[in-house]
């Protein structure tokens, strides 16, 4: 017997309905029985931007936005940032459990040995204009991978899926670094299998004439931690894009390309880039109050602040603040840090931000860290896309295995013209 139910009375008809509640939710399709008559399609739930609609059941990432909690597969983000590595975290997201040492070694070996890209893909990248945005290049390059792996269309079996997942996680840093070097007109630097995931990314970005590139271990660890923090974030805009596009059963390269495209927008993964541009525009601590006044007057947003889910300090921002200190100890401190700290201080004490529960999010400090490491602003969203690929693919895998999922297809409330007859052009107006 179901005891958790919701009783709904339709005041149009006086009829009463009892809808089951499972996991704190009713099924929207249960509303369809609520009809005024045989011609009525049935009641719909109207929810633009999915403000209160769960589109899946998931066992990957948990967020408690009011308390500022983020967990991957039950493990608190603080512990993973402190003790895990990105590849181990990616394994956890994908498999649901932390690996044994042998499992991790095999996983790392596989990823390391799939980092190369087909030489023709370099020609494809060469076709872009010299000032092409690297994130737009990445969208296209990830989709282009689909053409190199036609076997990816047959992803019905577990092994096939796994191979595409390994390829995508492995090749993202290569595509990202090649996009960057294209923008500078530099020759591409090939992957070095002796290096770990983050170190190899820095190698492909920055290696010049040296035979062996050895990045500072503190900077490698900083990138690795930033990758862990960005690896997944449950049903955000880009993950929803991956799930939605993937639900058509397209290959995972095309589904992930949709995710990269969604992430590119300034309200999502493009926010870290927008934060840096905003801090540059503010320029100095003295200009902060005037800038905050403009934001409060509705003339633009305080980028890197606010979140759909977090109504508390984003736990990732807290960790990134600590990473920033470690990076600035190696590089020189970022002069824009003082502007960011002053913005945060003023905003957190201001009624406008307090009442709307607007706190720094993951993007507020990450750009300052990337910039201090010599990474150009255009690359910031790309640095988000590399690790998020692990989350997208874990979510894609979960969706593909979920018997309740079908092709994503929302309903609409049609408010347009009623049926009318075509009018020949000489009788219009
Ligand atoms: N600066 C000033 N006001 C803001 C901001 C902001 N950054 N964010 C929200 N508000 C105000 C907004 O104007 C609205 O005020 P009112 O109720 O008076 O109309 C109220 O707060 C609620 O905002 P909303 O736009 O309804 O909230 P949302 O959940 O739709 O948007 C958001 C969430 C992240 C898009 C938004 O906070 C924003 O645009 N932030 C700046 C961009 C940003 O930092 N994005 C990165 C998000 S974290 C990384 C990621 O997941 O991609």
């Amino acid at each position: 017997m179901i005891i958790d139910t919701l009783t709904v009375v339709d005041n149009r008809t006086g009829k009463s309905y009892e809808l089951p509640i499972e996991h704190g939710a009713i099924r929207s399709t249960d509303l369809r029985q609520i009809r005024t008559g045989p011609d009525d399609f049935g009641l719909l739930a109207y929810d633009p931007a999915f403000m209160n609609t769960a589109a899946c059941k998931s066992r990957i990432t948990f967020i408690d936005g009011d308390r500022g909690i983020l967990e991957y597969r039950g493990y608190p983000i603080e512990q993973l940032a402190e003790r895990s590595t990105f590849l181990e975290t990616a394994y956890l997201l994908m498999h649901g459990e932390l690996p044994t040492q042998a499992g991790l070694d095999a996983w790392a070996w596989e990823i390391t040995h799939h980092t190369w890209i087909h030489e023709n893909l370099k020609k494809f990248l060469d076709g872009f204009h010299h000032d092409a945005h690297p994130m737009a290049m990445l969208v296209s390059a990830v989709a282009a991978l689909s053409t190199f792996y036609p076997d990816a269309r047959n992803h019905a079996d577990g092994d096939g899926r796994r191979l595409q997942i390994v390829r995508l996680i492995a090749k993202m840093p290569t595509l990202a670094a090649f996009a960057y070097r294209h923008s500078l007109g530099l020759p591409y630097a090939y992957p070095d299998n002796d290096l770990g995931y983050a170190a190899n990314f820095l190698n492909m970005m920055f290696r010049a004439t040296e035979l062996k590139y050895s990045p500072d271990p503190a900077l490698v660890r900083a990138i690795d931690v930033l990758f862990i923090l960005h690896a997944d974030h449950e049903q955000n805009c880009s993950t929803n894009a991956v799930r939605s596009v993937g639900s058509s059963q397209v290959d995972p390269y095309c589904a992930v390309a949709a995710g990269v495209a969604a992430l590119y927008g300034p309200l999502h993964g493009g926010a870290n880039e927008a934060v840096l541009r905003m801090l540059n525009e503010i320029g100095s601590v003295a200009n902060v109050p005037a800038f905050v006044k403009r934001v409060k007057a509705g003339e633009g947003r305080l980028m890197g602040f606010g979140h759909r889910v977090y109504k508390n300090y984003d736990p990732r921002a807290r960790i990134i603040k600590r990473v920033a200190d470690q990076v600035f100890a190696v590089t020189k401190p970022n002069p824009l840090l003082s502007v960011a700290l002053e913005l945060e201080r003023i905003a957190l004490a201001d009624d406008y931000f307090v009442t709307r529960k607007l706190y720094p999010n993951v993007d507020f400090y990450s750009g300052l860290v990337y910039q201090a490491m010599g990474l150009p602003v255009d690359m910031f969203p790309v640095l988000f896309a590399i690790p998020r690929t692990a989350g997208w693919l874990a979510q894609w895998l979960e969706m593909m295995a979920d018997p309740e999922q079908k092709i994503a297809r929302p309903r609409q409330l049609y408010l347009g013209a009623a049926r009318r007859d075509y009018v020949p052009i000489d009788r219009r107006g």
Side-chain angles (χ1 to χ4, degrees):
M1 189 186 68
I2 300 170
I3 44 166
D4 286 344
T5 62
L6 175 74
T7 301
V8 180
V9 178
D10 184 350
N11 292 323
R12 299 170 301 176
T13 59
K15 281 195 196 156
S16 164
Y17 303 83
E18 201 163 324
L19 312 181
I21 298 175
E22 195 193 354
H23 306 298
I26 58 158
R27 283 184 183 259
S28 287
T29 44
D30 282 346
L31 297 173
R32 289 269 286 277
Q33 59 184 303
I34 304 177
R35 294 153 56 148
T36 49
D39 293 338
D40 185 354
F41 178 77
L43 203 65
L44 291 173
Y46 175 59
D47 188 11
F50 305 115
M51 296 288 286
N52 197 42
T53 295
C56 63
K57 292 174 183 162
S58 183
R59 292 179 166 77
I60 302 172
T61 292
F62 171 76
I63 300 176
D64 181 333
D66 291 329
R67 291 195 290 153
I69 292 173
L70 169 62
E71 294 166 359
Y72 298 159
R73 301 283 190 184
Y75 294 101
I77 193 66
E78 292 79 6
Q79 291 183 24
L80 293 169
E82 183 74 32
R83 303 171 66 180
S84 185
T85 61
F86 170 68
L87 280 190
E88 185 184 59
T89 298
Y91 182 103
L92 170 70
L93 287 169
M94 222 64 66
H95 298 85
E97 297 297 334
L98 286 167
T100 59
Q101 187 62 55
L104 179 59
D105 292 347
W107 172 246
W109 193 94
E110 265 190 290
I111 303 275
T112 306
H113 288 82
H114 279 91
T115 49
W116 289 59
I117 55 173
H118 195 289
E119 287 290 293
N120 284 0
L121 204 54
K122 282 177 23 191
K123 291 188 204 149
F124 177 81
L125 293 173
D126 284 340
F128 284 102
H129 208 257
H130 67 92
D131 58 358
H133 195 290
M135 193 66 165
M137 289 175 74
L138 193 67
V139 175
S140 324
V142 173
L145 282 180
S146 160
T147 67
F148 292 90
Y149 302 108
D151 58 320
R153 281 193 299 254
N154 306 324
H155 49 63
D157 69 292
D159 285 348
R161 284 180 199 172
R162 188 187 152 79
L163 177 58
Q164 313 315 331
I165 285 171
V166 167
R167 281 177 175 154
L168 262 162
I169 294 175
K171 291 179 203 310
M172 274 318 250
T174 315
L175 293 176
F178 281 22
Y180 166 68
R181 290 181 82 104
H182 171 79
S183 68
L184 296 182
L186 289 172
Y188 301 122
Y190 281 76
D192 179 345
N193 286 359
D194 292 338
L195 297 174
Y197 194 81
N200 180 44
F201 172 62
L202 292 175
N203 157 65
M204 291 187 288
M205 289 285 293
F206 297 126
R207 192 172 79 219
T209 54
E210 62 272 47
L211 285 179
K212 203 84 184 156
Y213 183 80
S214 27
D216 190 304
L219 301 187
V220 172
R221 180 62 193 157
I223 288 284
D224 214 42
V225 171
L226 283 158
F227 280 1
I228 292 170
L229 300 181
H230 286 88
D232 195 47
H233 213 232
E234 52 118 304
Q235 308 311 314
N236 53 81
C237 176
S238 56
T239 301
N240 181 55
V242 171
R243 278 184 175 258
S244 185
V245 172
S247 75
S248 73
Q249 311 265 316
V250 73
D251 69 69
Y253 300 102
C254 291
V256 168
V260 184
L263 192 68
Y264 189 10
L267 297 189
H268 193 9
N272 50 17
E273 186 179 349
V275 169
L276 240 286
R277 297 195 197 285
M278 174 190 75
L279 294 175
N280 269 323
E281 186 196 316
I282 298 171
S284 74
V285 169
N287 297 333
V288 169
F291 179 80
V292 171
K293 203 168 155 194
R294 289 214 310 274
V295 168
K296 286 163 62 179
E299 300 166 29
R301 290 202 159 190
L302 176 46
M303 299 310 287
F305 258 66
H307 200 276
R308 172 63 59 79
V309 181
Y310 292 119
K311 300 301 168 199
N312 199 324
Y313 214 99
D314 182 335
R316 303 168 299 173
R318 213 185 295 280
I319 298 168
I320 293 179
K321 246 176 136 174
R322 281 206 302 276
V323 171
D325 290 337
Q326 287 151 15
V327 168
F328 297 156
V330 176
T331 65
K332 4 187 241 310
N334 192 320
L336 292 174
L337 177 66
S338 50
V339 179
L341 288 170
E342 181 65 358
L343 261 178
E344 181 183 335
R345 191 187 67 77
I346 292 191
L348 292 186
D350 190 297
D351 214 38
Y352 175 95
F353 297 92
V354 173
T355 52
R356 288 171 178 78
K357 299 188 176 167
L358 301 172
Y359 292 86
N361 60 48
V362 69
D363 293 315
F364 193 64
Y365 287 105
S366 60
L368 290 171
V369 178
Y370 293 142
Q371 195 181 47
M373 293 172 79
L375 293 153
V377 176
D378 276 2
M379 281 296 283
F380 295 177
V382 173
L383 281 146
F384 196 152
I386 295 171
R388 184 53 61 87
T389 300
W392 288 329
L393 290 166
Q395 301 271 351
W396 173 77
L397 258 188
E398 188 177 65
M399 180 204 64
M400 296 299 287
D402 183 345
E404 285 197 319
Q405 290 295 336
K406 288 167 171 278
I407 186 164
R409 204 315 185 174
R411 294 276 173 183
Q412 64 167 8
L413 304 180
Y414 178 70
L415 303 180
R419 186 192 183 285
R420 47 188 171 161
D421 289 325
Y422 181 83
V423 181
I425 198 159
D426 54 336
R427 279 195 254 144
R428 288 179 213 158

